[in-house]
Coordinates of all heavy atoms in Angstrom, one line a residue:
A213 N 26.3 -2.4 31.7 CA 27.4 -1.5 31.3 C 27.6 -1.7 29.8 O 28.0 -0.6 29.1 CB 28.7 -1.7 32.0
S214 N 27.5 -2.8 29.2 CA 27.8 -3.1 27.8 C 26.8 -2.3 26.9 O 27.1 -1.9 25.8 CB 27.7 -4.5 27.5 OG 28.6 -5.3 28.2
V215 N 25.5 -2.3 27.4 CA 24.5 -1.5 26.6 C 24.9 0.0 26.5 O 24.8 0.5 25.4 CB 23.1 -1.6 27.3 CG1 22.1 -0.8 26.5 CG2 22.7 -3.1 27.3
Y216 N 25.4 0.6 27.6 CA 25.8 2.0 27.5 C 27.0 2.3 26.5 O 27.2 3.4 26.1 CB 26.2 2.4 28.9 CG 25.0 2.7 29.8 CD1 24.8 1.8 30.8 CD2 24.2 3.8 29.6 CE1 23.7 2.0 31.7 CE2 23.1 4.0 30.5 CZ 22.9 3.1 31.4 OH 21.8 3.3 32.3
H217 N 27.7 1.2 26.1 CA 28.8 1.4 25.1 C 28.2 1.6 23.7 O 28.9 2.2 22.8 CB 29.7 0.2 25.0 CG 30.6 0.0 26.3 ND1 31.4 1.1 26.7 CD2 30.8 -1.0 27.1 CE1 32.0 0.7 27.8 NE2 31.7 -0.6 28.1
H218 N 26.9 1.3 23.5 CA 26.3 1.4 22.2 C 25.3 2.4 22.0 O 24.8 2.8 20.9 CB 25.7 0.0 21.8 CG 26.7 -1.1 21.7 ND1 27.4 -1.4 20.6 CD2 27.3 -1.9 22.7 CE1 28.2 -2.4 20.8 NE2 28.2 -2.7 22.1
V219 N 24.8 3.0 23.2 CA 23.7 4.0 23.1 C 24.1 5.2 24.1 O 24.9 5.0 24.9 CB 22.3 3.5 23.5 CG1 22.0 2.4 22.5 CG2 22.3 2.9 24.9
D220 N 23.4 6.3 23.8 CA 23.7 7.5 24.7 C 22.8 7.5 25.8 O 21.9 8.4 26.0 CB 23.5 8.7 23.8 CG 23.9 10.0 24.6 OD1 24.7 9.9 25.6 OD2 23.6 11.1 24.1
G221 N 22.8 6.5 26.7 CA 22.0 6.4 27.9 C 20.5 6.3 27.6 O 20.0 6.0 26.5
R222 N 19.7 6.4 28.6 CA 18.2 6.4 28.5 C 17.7 7.3 27.5 O 16.8 6.9 26.6 CB 17.5 6.5 29.9 CG 16.0 6.4 29.8 CD 15.4 6.7 31.2 NE 14.0 6.8 31.0 CZ 13.1 5.8 30.9 NH1 13.6 4.6 31.1 NH2 11.8 6.0 30.8
D223 N 18.1 8.6 27.6 CA 17.6 9.6 26.6 C 17.9 9.2 25.2 O 17.1 9.4 24.3 CB 18.2 11.0 27.0 CG 17.6 11.6 28.2 OD1 16.6 11.1 28.7 OD2 18.2 12.6 28.7
G224 N 19.1 8.6 25.0 CA 19.4 8.2 23.6 C 18.6 7.1 23.1 O 18.3 7.0 21.9
I225 N 18.1 6.2 24.0 CA 17.3 5.1 23.7 C 15.9 5.6 23.3 O 15.3 5.2 22.3 CB 17.2 4.0 24.7 CG1 18.5 3.3 25.0 CG2 16.1 3.0 24.4 CD1 18.6 2.5 26.2
V226 N 15.5 6.6 24.1 CA 14.1 7.2 23.7 C 14.2 7.8 22.3 O 13.2 7.6 21.5 CB 13.8 8.3 24.8 CG1 12.6 9.1 24.3 CG2 13.5 7.7 26.1
E227 N 15.3 8.5 22.0 CA 15.4 9.1 20.6 C 15.6 8.0 19.5 O 15.1 8.2 18.4 CB 16.5 10.1 20.5 CG 16.3 11.4 21.3 CD 15.0 12.0 20.9 OE1 14.8 12.5 19.7 OE2 14.0 12.1 21.8
L228 N 16.2 6.9 19.9 CA 16.2 5.8 19.0 C 14.8 5.3 18.7 O 14.5 4.9 17.5 CB 17.1 4.7 19.4 CG 18.6 4.9 19.4 CD1 19.4 3.9 20.2 CD2 19.2 5.0 18.0
M229 N 14.0 5.2 19.7 CA 12.6 4.7 19.5 C 11.8 5.7 18.7 O 11.1 5.4 17.8 CB 11.9 4.5 20.8 CG 12.5 3.3 21.6 SD 11.5 2.8 23.1 CE 11.8 4.2 24.1
R230 N 12.1 7.0 19.0 CA 11.4 8.0 18.2 C 11.8 7.9 16.7 O 11.0 8.0 15.8 CB 11.8 9.4 18.7 CG 10.9 10.6 18.1 CD 11.4 11.9 18.5 NE 11.7 12.1 19.9 CZ 10.8 12.5 20.8 NH1 9.5 12.7 20.3 NH2 11.1 12.8 22.0
E231 N 13.1 7.7 16.5 CA 13.5 7.6 15.1 C 12.9 6.4 14.4 O 12.5 6.4 13.2 CB 15.1 7.4 15.1 CG 15.8 7.6 13.7 CD 16.1 9.0 13.4 OE1 15.6 10.0 13.9 OE2 17.0 9.1 12.5
R232 N 12.8 5.3 15.2 CA 12.2 4.0 14.5 C 10.8 4.3 14.2 O 10.3 3.9 13.1 CB 12.4 2.8 15.6 CG 11.7 1.6 15.2 CD 12.4 0.8 14.1 NE 13.8 0.4 14.5 CZ 14.0 -0.7 15.3 NH1 13.0 -1.5 15.6 NH2 15.2 -1.0 15.7
V233 N 10.1 4.9 15.1 CA 8.6 5.2 14.8 C 8.5 6.1 13.6 O 7.7 5.9 12.7 CB 7.9 5.7 16.1 CG1 6.5 6.0 15.6 CG2 7.9 4.6 17.2
A234 N 9.4 7.1 13.6 CA 9.3 8.1 12.6 C 9.6 7.6 11.2 O 9.2 8.1 10.2 CB 10.3 9.3 12.9
D235 N 10.3 6.4 11.1 CA 10.7 5.8 9.9 C 9.4 5.3 9.2 O 9.4 5.1 7.9 CB 11.5 4.6 10.1 CG 13.0 5.0 10.3 OD1 13.4 6.1 9.9 OD2 13.8 4.1 10.8
G236 N 8.3 5.1 9.9 CA 7.0 4.7 9.4 C 6.2 5.8 8.8 O 5.0 5.6 8.3
I237 N 6.6 7.1 9.0 CA 5.7 8.2 8.6 C 6.2 8.6 7.2 O 7.3 8.9 6.9 CB 5.9 9.4 9.6 CG1 5.6 9.0 11.0 CG2 5.1 10.5 9.2 CD1 5.9 9.9 12.1

Side-chain angles (χ1 to χ4, degrees):
S214 299
V215 177
Y216 284 107
H217 290 307
H218 297 269
V219 296
D220 187 18
R222 178 183 171 82
D223 288 347
I225 295 171
V226 169
E227 287 310 294
L228 286 170
M229 290 192 290
R230 193 191 306 276
E231 192 91 338
R232 176 75 64 82
V233 176
D235 281 343
I237 301 173

